[in-house]
Amino acid sequence: MPLRRGLLDPGVAELGALAARAGLAPADPLRQPLAEARDAAERYHAFLNGPALPAEVREVEAVGPAGSLRLRLIRPVDGGAGGGDAPLPVLIYFHGGGFAVNSIDTHDRLLRLLARHGGVAVCAVGYSLAPERRYPHQRGEALAALRWVVRHGADHGLDPERIAVGGDSAGANLALGLALDARSEAGPPLSFGMLLYGMFAHDFDTESHRLFGGGDYGLTTGRMRWYWRQYLGRDAMTRDPGAAPLLADLRGLPPLHVAAAGLDCLRDDSLRLARRLEEANVPHRLVLHDALPHSFAGMTRHVRAAEDAVIQAADAVRLHLRR
């Protein structure tokens, strides 16, 4: 597949120029101390998010594997798919950021869009960042979030019988991992999964890394290597299916919406996952957004194609969670 320089959505380039004029750029932890990169990520995404979209927001806490775990419940202001005061289905969501940067706040607009168009309450998980906490700590926090929704969600107007998981990039890794863990978890089965340009395997010998890993479209192979080191540590096994869920036994998963960015060094993670899902007879839909780069779900205020892609994913959630 040739490098498709001319097919980048023009709105993405316009957004980059707009951010540069505002003196902002995406975080780069290879060139910035980690604390500085995290601050830069918060400022950059605050610019991307813009004014907050209408939603009902509530902060709660769950018990995680090593103390308190922050959760944010975001409900659509129109009542969502449940109608009126009926309990809402739930999308448990994990933000991206290579396990090392970003937060619930950086993904605020995306979370509100998913609640609005998915007709769900989004339960955003403020999981611990690496390297302060490493795998498998975040997998334990993901399971703690699911258990909180099952045990306490009804007290907050949530329907514990209709739960989906979702995430982008590293968050998609956690979402897929939670779907795998939930197969043996007591309680209602997960209904659906939504995975956006996921980080599913510690593997850089792919066509998409060769084509897009140099940085023309943002994310680089070098940065991905750094993210994996933060998450796993230098001596960790990179073929552990718990950390790299592409390598896991995928049988018995719920239906999945898998969205890949066409101009992304992680594109082939999603394409390979779709092939493995096919082999495991897991119902799924693979959507390749050819003209978009990694992290497009954060560009919805400025890039129409990115907003359309997010709405398409939210529609899939709505379809599978409605009664």
Side-chain angles (χ1 to χ4, degrees):
M1 181 182 296
L3 187 61
R4 299 168 293 176
R5 295 182 185 274
L7 290 186
L8 178 67
D9 187 284
V12 178
E14 293 169 7
L15 172 57
L18 187 64
R21 289 196 294 271
L24 296 167
D28 186 352
L30 295 186
R31 299 184 179 185
Q32 300 169 298
L34 182 53
E36 183 178 322
R38 287 173 176 168
D39 288 343
E42 296 292 331
R43 292 193 302 272
Y44 183 73
H45 284 279
F47 164 77
L48 293 185
N49 286 329
L53 297 174
E56 299 175 9
V57 179
R58 181 182 303 175
E59 303 284 345
V60 299
E61 291 185 354
V63 178
S68 176
L69 174 64
R70 177 189 178 199
L71 305 177
R72 178 178 294 172
L73 305 181
I74 301 169
R75 300 170 61 97
V77 292
D78 63 358
D85 296 326
L88 281 177
V90 188
L91 172 64
I92 301 175
Y93 195 87
F94 303 91
H95 66 80
F99 299 106
V101 300
N102 292 345
S103 67
I104 295 175
D105 294 328
T106 61
H107 282 54
D108 182 73
R109 181 181 178 87
L110 170 61
L111 299 170
R112 292 168 185 252
L113 280 175
L114 292 171
R116 173 191 292 181
H117 293 283
V120 296
V122 175
C123 176
V125 183
Y127 61 87
S128 300
L129 296 181
E132 293 89 339
R133 293 283 190 180
R134 288 188 162 127
Y135 170 81
H137 185 83
Q138 291 82 356
R139 282 285 290 264
E141 290 180 320
L143 194 56
L146 173 61
R147 288 171 176 166
W148 184 90
V149 171
V150 170
R151 297 170 185 172
H152 305 289
D155 297 333
H156 296 268
L158 311 182
D159 184 352
E161 298 290 331
R162 293 184 290 164
I163 303 175
V165 294
D168 62 283
S169 195
N173 178 305
L174 292 176
L176 181 56
L178 179 56
L180 293 167
D181 290 341
R183 293 177 301 186
S184 58
E185 183 73 1
L190 294 179
S191 301
F192 191 62
M194 183 199 73
L195 309 175
L196 307 179
Y197 42 82
M199 172 183 172
F200 298 129
H202 184 280
D203 184 359
F204 313 108
D205 186 23
T206 66
E207 183 183 42
S208 58
H209 271 290
R210 290 191 294 273
L211 291 177
F212 309 124
D216 289 346
Y217 303 104
L219 184 64
T220 68
T221 299
R223 199 179 304 169
M224 284 307 310
R225 292 182 185 275
W226 185 88
Y227 285 140
W228 276 107
R229 285 199 302 272
Q230 307 317 301
Y231 184 46
L232 299 178
R234 293 184 180 275
D235 299 324
M237 293 182 59
T238 58
R239 307 251 342 142
D240 180 348
L246 179 65
L247 308 178
D249 179 357
L250 303 178
R251 290 173 294 180
L253 288 176
L256 296 173
H257 177 90
V258 181
L263 304 175
D264 178 9
C265 62
L266 292 188
R267 180 202 64 187
D268 289 359
D269 281 38
S270 294
L271 302 189
R272 293 162 68 194
L273 175 63
R275 289 195 292 271
R276 294 227 46 232
L277 293 171
E278 186 74 26
E279 294 167 357
N281 294 314
V282 175
H284 66 281
R285 182 186 184 191
L286 171 67
V287 182
L288 179 62
H289 299 285
D290 291 285
L292 293 176
H294 193 79
S295 296
F296 66 72
M299 304 175 184
T300 57
R301 187 165 73 100
H302 302 272
V303 181
R304 178 59 184 272
E307 183 178 49
D308 290 344
V310 168
I311 292 174
Q312 182 184 45
D315 285 343
V317 173
R318 180 189 292 271
L319 175 65
H320 282 84
L321 293 186
R322 70 185 182 186
R323 288 200 182 278

